[in-house]
Amino acid sequence: MSVVEFAEALDIVLEHARGFPARTAEQIALLDAAGRVLAEDVTADRDQPPFHRSTRDGFAVRATDFTASAQLKIVGQVRAGEAWCSDAMQPGCAIEIMTGAPMPDGADAVAMIEHVALADGNVWAAPGRTLRAGENVVPQGSEARAGEVVLAAGSVIGAAEIAMSAACGHAELMVRSRPSVTIIATGDELVELGARLGSQQIWNSNGYALAALVAVAGGRAERSKIARDTREDIRARIAEGRRSDLLLLSGGVSAGKYDLVEEALAEFGAEFFFTGVKMQPGRPVVFGRLPGLDGEQATYFFGLPGNPVSTQVTFHCFVEPLLRAMCGAEPVGPKFVQGTLAEDVSAKAGLTRVLPTILRHDLERPELRLVSWQGSGDLGANARANCYAVLPDGEALHAGDVVTVLLR
């Protein structure tokens, strides 16, 4: 058992994320596929685009005809969804065309409506405007050829992937099955929503937060009964959940008298990869696996700190990359980007800090402001934030410094 540096913990998780066998595949409706992982390549049903396509409203012309001194006769119009059914366009002519419409035979460019002059059924180049062949035209098949792979197996499906699939005629997709994740919240102080709340008790928010995070990351969450602070109750909940693909326990992993999760896991023969990370919040986080039952695969587990901000931070840092890999996606780390501090931040030695932060999405210079908070139990501060600033060990930082940002 060991407490490791933040970067080492990430490496350990990703090393284990590379070893999962492919999950079974299932075919589902396209709109049900968001967040899932493709089990098969998606291919183009025909050339994309299936014809030479205009990218602007304007006039289809021969580029060599389009000058300020030569008036071209407008001989018709073609709209998106239509085809030019007459003979090929002759020299000295132009055809009015709309964005997305197929190019008429004989035309090789589109003059934008903003770049032409019009009078008496004729069109010509506005002063200073020129045109080259292929301008404002997307050639047939330039995006994809019929049968070409447009989305590779292993891709995580979002709106862009759904749009691409629909554009290629796929109403259903073959995806990997979702891994099961059992969530066990521990603590005598916890009460489920809808039950009677004592004056010294709190609602079980971690169970709901983790279930939501698991769903977004592609897993199938199964919330266990709350485990009370006894070795027997924690053991019973672990025994119920250990056949799942991943076991998440929140609370009970610190050094207090009633922090019994690690002991209970050890009694099941757990192998621990780390039992703490030098970070704030989230230092007590535990990662390991339980032996498989009856020849089944081993069950990975995380013991997450009970304070709710710690729970969510450690999920984003460590659980989400492992869970995504379980779903069949390529093993990748957390979603890190960079931003610029808008204020000075004091140093703290010995810990990587992952703190609730507001990222202002300025076009030229995204800025970060740490959210004022009361520590890792402050759900309000966490809700006001939209990301986390990752501040390195022991370095005082100043306004204008560039730091790593953990997206969520």
Side-chain angles (χ1 to χ4, degrees), residues 76-97:
Q77 180 190 84
V78 60
R79 300 183 299 171
E82 295 180 342
W84 179 250
C85 297
S86 300
D87 294 335
M89 190 184 71
Q90 298 301 309
C93 295
I95 296 172
E96 187 177 10
I97 194 167

Side-chain angles (χ1 to χ4, degrees), residues 3-324:
V3 177
V4 299
E5 299 289 344
F6 182 73
E8 184 180 354
L10 293 177
D11 289 342
I12 290 170
V13 169
L14 288 177
E15 181 63 31
H16 286 274
R18 297 184 183 100
F20 295 117
R23 299 186 61 79
T24 57
E26 57 184 355
Q27 187 166 289
I28 62 174
L30 180 59
L31 281 179
D32 293 333
R36 304 291 291 273
V37 175
L38 277 175
E40 294 181 352
D41 295 340
V42 173
T43 58
D45 60 333
R46 55 180 181 166
D47 287 351
Q48 295 289 337
F51 44 78
H52 301 316
R53 183 182 67 209
S54 173
T55 64
R56 295 287 189 272
D57 292 337
F59 293 88
V61 298
R62 294 174 185 267
T64 54
D65 291 349
F66 187 71
T67 67
S69 59
Q71 295 189 7
L72 307 179
K73 183 180 179 182
I74 301 171
V75 295
Q77 180 190 84
V78 60
R79 300 183 299 171
E82 295 180 342
W84 179 250
C85 297
S86 300
D87 294 335
M89 190 184 71
Q90 298 301 309
C93 295
I95 296 172
E96 187 177 10
I97 194 167
M98 309 305 167
T99 300
M103 291 290 290
D105 289 342
D108 61 8
V110 173
M112 295 172 57
I113 190 69
E114 299 91 337
H115 296 171
V116 304
L118 293 165
D120 302 324
N122 296 310
V123 61
W124 61 96
R129 296 296 180 181
T130 60
L131 195 66
R132 55 178 173 76
E135 193 167 342
N136 300 321
V137 178
V138 178
Q140 178 178 339
S142 59
E143 297 170 358
R145 289 294 184 184
E148 184 178 336
V149 174
V150 293
L151 297 173
S155 300
V156 179
I157 303 166
E161 290 76 19
I162 287 175
M164 186 73 253
S165 300
C168 291
H170 296 274
E172 296 180 320
L173 294 177
M174 192 68 72
V175 299
R176 294 296 175 192
S177 62
R178 295 186 297 169
S180 60
V181 183
T182 295
I183 297 166
I184 304 172
T186 71
D188 288 341
E189 75 278 15
L190 300 181
V191 176
E192 287 292 358
L193 297 180
R196 175 176 290 183
L197 183 69
S199 60
Q200 307 303 315
Q201 294 178 309
I202 59 173
W203 301 115
N204 175 20
S205 64
N206 277 349
Y208 288 89
L210 287 172
L213 290 167
V214 165
V216 170
R220 177 168 51 83
E222 300 173 0
R223 294 181 56 243
S224 173
K225 289 173 57 178
I226 294 171
R228 300 305 170 189
D229 289 327
T230 67
R231 185 175 285 102
E232 294 74 23
D233 207 35
I234 294 171
R235 278 181 53 86
R237 300 289 84 75
I238 293 173
E240 292 168 358
R242 66 178 299 190
R243 290 187 182 274
S244 59
D245 297 300
L246 179 62
L247 190 60
L248 301 181
L249 300 100
S250 70
V253 291
S254 295
K257 182 177 181 180
Y258 296 100
D259 291 319
L260 305 171
V261 165
E262 288 181 48
E263 291 181 26
L265 288 166
E267 291 177 17
F268 284 96
E271 179 184 8
F272 293 92
F273 304 124
F274 57 74
T275 56
V277 177
K278 295 177 183 179
M279 63 184 294
Q280 179 198 22
R283 183 183 175 93
V285 61
V286 172
F287 175 47
R289 64 186 169 195
L290 295 170
L293 294 172
D294 304 325
E296 295 181 1
Q297 292 287 326
T299 298
Y300 280 87
F301 64 80
F302 286 92
L304 306 177
N307 278 331
V309 181
S310 300
T311 303
Q312 294 179 47
V313 165
T314 50
F315 184 96
H316 287 299
C317 289
F318 308 120
V319 181
E320 186 172 352
L322 190 82
L323 182 53
R324 278 291 184 198

